[in-house]
């Protein structure tokens, strides 16, 4: 792999892993005051669906005040935890809910995700009570795989890099791209703030970009074979 292409791949890995971890942090828990202030002062991409989503987020945070954190915490609990909803399902952040016939937790999707985690020997900071197909865990797993691929590319171990890319592609197709569009539709239907509407749009845009990026990176396999 020539130097310019290698740097492009490493840059892509850094950006992708960072974005996965950003989304994972948003979906894992309610935002902290520090997260809110950091996002309010940050410059975000402006193009495409990701840019549209960040525009909603930035405009919402531009009007933040002493009650913003509470408003977002309430919206998080309502949208993702179903707080205050006794007869409707909102947008629970678990793959099983969106892919199982019963729309309940701990189904085949959870078992499939765990099989991927164990096969790659990658531990996640599970608390023992949250199902492993939580969107934040799945995104953290992708970030870890991307980090491994970057290390392999840095050391010119293209066989390992190709393996890490293959696992990413399989996991993304089987455990993220298959349900995130339905998940973000549910967020838009149930959330109360433009912040989470923006997050849903950002997620949509990232899924589409990730499809294209993973397809482009398949060239690593060809480089390994050359």
């Amino acid at each position: 792999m020539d130097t310019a292409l290698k740097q492009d791949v490493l840059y892509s890995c850094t950006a992708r892993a960072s974005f996965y971890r950003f989304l994972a942090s948003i979906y894992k828990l309610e935002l902290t005051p520090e997260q809110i202030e950091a996002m309010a002062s940050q410059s975000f991409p402006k193009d495409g669906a990701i840019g549209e989503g960040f525009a909603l987020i930035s405009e919402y945070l531009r009007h933040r005040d002493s009650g913003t954190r509470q408003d977002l915490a309430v919206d998080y609990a309502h949208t993702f935890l179903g707080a205050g909803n006794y007869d409707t399902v909102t947008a629970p952040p678990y793959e099983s809910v969106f892919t199982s016939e019963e729309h309940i937790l701990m189904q085949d999707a959870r078992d499939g995700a765990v099989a991927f985690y164990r096969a790659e020997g990658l531990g996640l900071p599970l608390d023992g009570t949250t199902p492993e197909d939580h969107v934040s865990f799945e995104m953290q797993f992708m970030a870890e795989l991307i980090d491994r691929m970057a290390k392999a590319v840095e050391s010119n171990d293209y066989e390992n890099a190709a393996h890490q890319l293959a696992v990413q592609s399989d996991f993304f197709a089987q455990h993220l791209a298959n349900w995130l569009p339905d998940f973000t539709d549910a967020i838009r239907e149930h959330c109360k703030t433009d912040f989470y509407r923006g997050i849903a749009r950002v997620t949509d845009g990232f899924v589409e970009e990730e499809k294209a990026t993973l397809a482009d990176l398949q060239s690593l396999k060809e480089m390994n074979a050359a």
Side-chain angles (χ1 to χ4, degrees), residues 90-145:
T90 51
Y94 303 98
E95 183 185 352
S96 288
V97 176
F98 286 88
T99 59
S100 66
E101 291 184 4
E102 300 86 357
H103 301 294
I104 57 177
L105 297 171
M106 305 295 283
Q107 302 302 300
D108 289 347
R110 176 265 178 193
D111 296 341
V114 169
F116 268 97
Y117 304 159
R118 288 176 176 167
E120 295 308 309
L122 289 174
L124 291 172
L126 307 181
D127 58 16
T129 61
T130 304
E132 292 88 340
D133 61 343
H134 191 289
V135 64
S136 68
F137 293 160
E138 294 188 346
M139 289 182 168
Q140 288 177 69
F141 180 63
M142 283 292 290
E144 291 291 339
L145 293 174

Side-chain angles (χ1 to χ4, degrees), residues 35-71:
Q35 285 177 299
I36 292 170
E37 288 306 311
M39 290 183 68
S41 61
Q42 191 171 345
S43 296
F44 293 114
K46 299 184 183 301
D47 297 330
I50 291 178
E52 292 171 7
F54 277 130
L56 283 173
I57 292 167
S58 296
E59 181 63 16
Y60 177 85
L61 293 179
R62 190 169 69 85
H63 300 284
R64 70 194 183 282
D65 56 30
S66 59
T68 297
R69 180 179 182 275
Q70 180 64 22
D71 291 343

